[in-house]
Amino acid sequence: CKVKPMVNQIEVSPYITQCELVDYCNGNGIVVEAWGPLGSGATGVLSDPLLKSLTEKYKKNIGQVILRWLFQRGICSLPKSSNEDRMRSNLDIFDFELTADEVSSITGLNKDRSTTAGVVGAAIPSSDIA
């Protein structure tokens, strides 16, 4: 292509990390924007035991832990919410930091479990994109 994309909006959550595609984008100066960062609840990510343990450690909710994980991976996220309290909560992720091991552990939760299973173009492996 003649014009390089500036942003690639892809589904990214702890259960669908898309590490290869994220690495490809980062290596080519393309910002990754996480679509469905909280897994829409359909995947079960919001009740994951690891994430729950981190909520207790940091006194944050699961959404905040996930958004912090994305931030520390350099991934932009725009979680959808019409609830004003939840919107405020989603911004309250800058007063704690996950350890490198915690970031790796969350990334290790990957199950390639998309909330858009069966949708054409959803969760395409990066090996199919080059």
Side-chain angles (χ1 to χ4, degrees):
C1 80
K2 293 182 181 182
V3 179
K4 178 178 78 172
M6 298 305 299
V7 178
N8 191 6
Q9 185 183 55
I10 58 174
E11 185 176 9
V12 180
S13 80
Y15 282 5
I16 184 162
T17 59
Q18 303 216 52
C19 290
E20 289 178 45
L21 183 52
V22 170
D23 289 345
Y24 175 84
C25 290
N26 288 340
N28 287 281
I30 301 167
V31 173
V32 174
E33 180 183 343
W35 175 87
L38 306 181
S40 79
T43 61
V45 71
L46 298 179
S47 59
D48 187 272
L50 171 64
L51 296 173
K52 281 188 171 185
S53 72
L54 293 172
T55 66
E56 293 168 13
K57 176 180 178 181
Y58 292 107
K59 307 294 186 239
K60 295 292 182 177
N61 63 46
I62 287 183
Q64 291 168 317
V65 170
I66 292 171
L67 294 173
R68 182 65 200 193
W69 166 75
L70 290 166
F71 176 78
Q72 286 184 224
R73 291 182 64 212
I75 297 173
C76 172
S77 62
L78 295 171
K80 177 183 171 186
S81 181
S82 59
N83 180 297
E84 191 173 328
D85 289 335
R86 203 168 292 126
M87 286 188 258
R88 274 194 205 95
S89 174
N90 289 342
L91 293 172
D92 188 22
I93 64 167
F94 300 106
D95 60 349
F96 75 107
E97 186 172 336
L98 300 167
T99 68
D101 285 344
E102 290 166 343
V103 171
S104 292
S105 293
I106 295 171
T107 303
L109 294 173
N110 183 46
K111 300 175 189 299
D112 289 326
R113 186 179 296 166
S114 173
T115 60
T116 59
V119 175
V120 175
I124 299 171
S126 59
S127 58
D128 293 348
I129 294 174

